[in-house]
Amino acid sequence: MLQNIRDNSTGIGAKILVGLIALTFLITGGLSAIQFGGGEPEVAVVNDRPITEREFLRALDQQRRQALQFVSDPALIDESQLRASVMRQLVESTAVLTQAEARGMSFSDGQLDNVLLQTPEFQIDGQFDSNRFDQVIGQLGYSRTGFREWMKTRVIADQLNQGLASSAFAAPATVSAAMLLEGQTRSVRVQGVTAADQVVTATPDQAALEALYEQNLIAWQLPEQLTAEYVLLSRDAQIDLDAVDEADVRDAYDRYVAGLQSNQETRASHILLTGDDSLAKAIAAKARLDAGEAFAAVAGELSDDTLSAEAGGDLGFAAAGTYVPEFESALNALTVGQVSEPVQTQFGHHLIQLTEAREQTADSFESKAVQLRRQLAEQATRLEFESLAEEMANIAFSGDLEEVSELLGVDIVTSAAFSRDAGEGVMSNLGVRIAAFGEEVLERGENSSLLEIDAGVLVLRVVDRVEPRTQTLNEVRDELVRVWSAKARSDAATAAAELLLTQLSGEPLTLGRVASNDLPQPLVNQIFAMPRNSTDVIVLDSGDAWAVELISVAQGEGSDAESMRGFLASQYARQSQAALGNWARENATVER
């Protein structure tokens, strides 16, 4: 297992994809190279590594956005529980990071550049775009150097996680037992009672509301809130699509088509041999291939690139210029199906097979013209926009927003109230909120530095501040009544379902583990947790209650042992990672 961890921590499969390219534009220059200053407040220190307030707010913002994908009403999110969960995750991930660093795991700047180049979120039309990179990390509240540091620490921690996960496996007996459980069916009688249909005539008295109010005081807390004024220099306002000549669009399309034709994609497989005797091993492996052994079989057995070896050495499709020069040159000299002689790169010796080549298909002019026209318009106004933005920043630094507004002809906008955790409009951007709550803006009353968002760049100042407070019972009375009524309807549904337990009749339903007969999946999951020959009332999170009689259980017969083995291994891998996190957290020194 330890060797697995070491092997995976080298990241050979990732490093072979591209050469070590120094991306100086990721380190210096550009509008969004914004630093928020040092001496940030800390919310915790784990093994002498601090967790800053900004890191906490960023993680909280991301978790809240994810939660809102599953609930329609933000009021349903338990804020105290969410904060506790985020803090636990940050402490745990930081503890794992310190364990990885203590074991000498690292990630170079060159390797990081490779990863950033290949990240789809930072690309436009398959190519890395520095402006897109700035926009994405700016929304997360990062400077360029700050994001690089965060990315590097995550990769270092992930080396330990992935190395441990790759050691997971499922024993044959476990696979067989799981296959029987997977195919298991259960025969049941069920009848549901919908909470929303229950009529509750009673109303909560003052004592009941006070009890609900006291049970979760933190839920009624209002965070510190600010109101800000800002001026926004919009990118779209500078763009004039009508000013782009049709002939220029045609020329851009011709260049696009020519670029695709000269940049065919290739699919390659490789066998990587490392060590002092890598050439000798590569020659021996080539002899086996020449004798007729399948490339995938030899790669799976011998390749030191463990990630691609699992796929028979397959590296997938890649555009020209993806691989390091020596690898690229050898690949370009091959015909489909041909295997190269041993090729030396900085990673070792490779045997390379060209498995497929294809030209990328060009979109029609009609479908591509709108995008090309916009790109040309943006290019035409980019320098003007950057010049205006620089002038805007200079005036805001030494003057006020009124001067900026007058110079640029843009309005001063007053935001809705926002907190550190959430806001509307431009204040939904985490980087903007961090700047608003920064010492320069909030405590010293200065204008912010230039802040970049998707729409453009802005400068803000705080005009009002409301200290945090706990809402009174009267302020949240309506919400308390709603919570009490929902609980009363659920209790009524539960009582009705209990009466139904002795009255269940009719043909039983046969259920598999996948929801059947339109039953809610959470209900099916709990039915499969019931003991044989039992009855129960199952209450779901919605408040609905179900009377359930489990009549019989029939074991199934699984048919795909390989898929089950892979599934169990992935489950065990997640369990291993969770255990690593728990162990690292429990053995960490945490100061808050």
Side-chain angles (χ1 to χ4, degrees):
M1 182 178 73
L2 290 177
Q3 187 57 46
N4 245 338
I5 293 175
R6 295 189 186 99
D7 291 342
N8 279 274
S9 72
T10 61
I12 294 173
K15 289 188 289 185
I16 190 63
L17 290 177
V18 283
L20 299 178
I21 302 172
L23 300 180
T24 56
F25 54 84
L26 290 180
I27 303 173
T28 61
L31 287 176
S32 64
I34 302 167
Q35 298 292 342
F36 295 103
E40 296 183 39
E42 298 173 356
V43 295
V45 178
V46 181
N47 292 339
D48 296 327
R49 177 180 281 274
I51 299 174
T52 66
E53 182 181 54
R54 188 189 316 169
E55 288 177 295
F56 176 75
L57 290 175
R58 185 180 294 120
L60 184 64
D61 184 68
Q62 292 171 346
Q63 288 289 328
R64 184 182 290 105
R65 289 175 186 272
Q66 292 177 10
L68 287 174
Q69 295 177 3
F70 300 97
V71 297
S72 57
D73 184 1
L76 297 176
I77 299 175
D78 187 328
E79 193 67 24
S80 60
Q81 186 176 0
L82 183 66
R83 283 175 166 270
S85 174
V86 168
M87 178 56 72
R88 177 187 174 94
Q89 291 175 27
L90 284 174
V91 169
E92 191 167 287
S93 62
T94 304
V96 171
L97 170 62
T98 59
Q99 291 291 342
E101 291 175 329
R103 285 157 176 75
M105 295 181 178
S106 61
F107 199 66
S108 71
D109 287 335
Q111 290 171 302
L112 178 59
D113 291 338
N114 295 344
V115 173
L116 295 178
L117 271 177
Q118 300 298 314
T119 301
E121 287 77 9
F122 303 148
Q123 296 178 350
I124 295 179
D125 292 336
Q127 298 295 319
F128 181 88
D129 184 90
S130 59
N131 289 322
R132 176 62 181 164
F133 175 77
D134 289 339
Q135 291 171 17
V136 173
I137 68 173
Q139 287 182 335
L140 298 174
Y142 283 108
S143 67
R144 289 176 174 182
T145 52
F147 181 79
R148 288 175 64 85
E149 182 61 28
W150 174 83
M151 187 81 170
K152 185 181 294 187
T153 59
R154 295 326 314 145
V155 173
I156 291 172
D158 197 51
Q159 289 175 358
L160 187 56
N161 266 316
Q162 293 302 322
L164 184 62
S166 67
S167 305
F169 69 95
T174 304
V175 174
S176 299
M179 290 172 65
L180 293 177
L181 288 173
E182 181 189 35
Q184 185 185 95
T185 60
R186 294 195 166 205
S187 180
V188 297
R189 291 189 180 94
V190 298
Q191 188 167 343
V193 181
T194 304
D197 294 340
Q198 304 307 300
V199 177
V200 177
T201 57
T203 57
D205 57 22
Q206 183 67 15
L209 294 180
E210 288 177 356
L212 268 181
Y213 178 77
E214 295 292 337
Q215 281 174 13
N216 194 13
L217 280 175
I218 194 170
W220 317 122
Q221 289 184 351
L222 289 177
E224 180 181 21
Q225 291 189 312
L226 305 179
T227 303
E229 291 180 340
Y230 64 90
V231 288
L232 171 66
L233 180 63
S234 169
R235 286 190 180 85
D236 286 347
Q238 312 301 316
I239 295 174
D240 185 1
L241 297 177
D242 294 334
V244 179
D245 191 272
E246 186 71 15
D248 291 335
V249 179
R250 284 284 179 182
D251 288 343
Y253 180 76
D254 291 342
R255 292 193 299 272
Y256 155 72
V257 173
L260 290 181
Q261 292 173 344
S262 64
N263 190 25
Q264 74 168 4
E265 290 184 315
T266 56
R267 185 171 187 172
S269 296
H270 83 135
I271 299 170
L272 173 64
L273 291 313
T274 61
D276 295 338
D277 58 346
S278 61
L279 177 58
K281 290 189 292 186
I283 293 172
K286 181 64 162 60
R288 290 174 57 178
L289 296 175
D290 291 342
E293 289 193 51
F295 192 96
V298 178
E301 177 186 343
L302 299 180
S303 182
D304 290 324
D305 180 359
T306 55
L307 295 179
S308 67
E310 294 176 359
D314 184 26
L315 295 171
F317 279 101
T322 297
Y323 303 108
V324 292
E326 304 91 340
F327 192 101
E328 188 91 24
S329 178
L331 178 62
N332 291 338
L334 299 175
T335 57
V336 173
Q338 185 181 5
V339 178
S340 72
E341 295 299 321
V343 177
Q344 185 176 12
T345 72
Q346 66 208 78
F347 307 111
H349 280 86
H350 310 257
L351 296 174
I352 306 167
Q353 182 182 52
L354 175 61
T355 56
E356 194 174 346
R358 67 184 182 191
E359 288 188 356
Q360 300 181 61
T361 303
D363 296 332
S364 67
F365 175 78
E366 290 73 18
S367 63
K368 194 73 175 175
V370 173
Q371 178 188 355
L372 293 173
R373 185 180 299 277
R374 182 172 184 85
Q375 288 177 353
L376 290 171
E378 288 176 349
Q379 291 169 7
T381 58
R382 182 171 295 168
L383 289 178
E384 180 184 358
F385 178 83
E386 291 184 357
S387 176
L388 288 173
E390 183 177 358
E391 192 168 1
M392 175 180 177
N394 291 336
I395 295 174
F397 178 77
S398 58
D400 54 38
L401 297 190
E402 285 74 16
E403 292 182 55
V404 176
S405 173
E406 182 177 351
L407 171 71
L408 301 179
V410 294
D411 294 331
I412 297 177
V413 181
T414 302
S415 74
F418 59 94
S419 67
R420 293 176 184 268
D421 299 343
E424 300 174 359
V426 300
M427 298 306 165
S428 65
N429 184 291
L430 178 60
V432 174
R433 297 201 308 274
I434 289 174
F437 279 91
E439 181 180 353
E440 297 86 353
V441 177
L442 183 58
E443 303 299 338
R444 299 208 291 262
E446 299 174 0
N447 294 332
S448 72
S449 57
L450 200 67
L451 305 170
E452 184 164 2
I453 61 175
D454 278 346
V457 291
L458 64 87
V459 174
L460 64 83
R461 66 185 176 199
V462 171
V463 294
D464 191 27
R465 180 179 187 177
V466 178
E467 296 294 334
R469 68 179 182 88
T470 301
Q471 298 175 87
T472 66
L473 187 149
N474 282 336
E475 287 178 295
V476 298
R477 181 178 294 274
D478 290 345
E479 176 64 14
L480 290 170
V481 171
R482 188 189 68 79
V483 172
W484 184 92
S485 298
K487 177 66 165 56
R489 286 192 293 271
S490 180
D491 290 344
T494 302
E498 289 173 346
L499 290 176
L500 290 173
L501 272 182
T502 58
Q503 305 171 18
L504 292 175
S505 61
E507 286 296 318
L509 297 174
T510 299
L511 302 179
R513 286 187 175 270
V514 178
S516 305
N517 300 313
D518 298 323
L519 294 182
Q521 186 64 48
L523 173 64
V524 175
N525 293 343
Q526 293 200 49
I527 288 174
F528 273 84
M530 291 174 61
R532 296 171 184 265
N533 303 319
S534 62
T535 61
D536 197 5
V537 170
I538 296 175
V539 182
L540 303 182
D541 291 341
S542 62
D544 298 342
W546 292 79
V548 181
E549 178 186 7
L550 176 56
I551 299 171
S552 63
V553 176
Q555 296 291 10
E557 294 183 6
S559 58
D560 191 348
E562 193 59 36
S563 294
M564 177 57 73
R565 182 177 294 107
F567 170 76
L568 290 175
S570 68
Q571 295 297 306
Y572 294 156
R574 281 194 284 271
Q575 292 172 12
S576 297
Q577 290 175 323
L580 170 64
N582 287 333
W583 173 82
R585 176 172 46 79
E586 291 171 0
N587 287 275
T589 301
V590 182
E591 301 174 11
R592 300 192 185 185

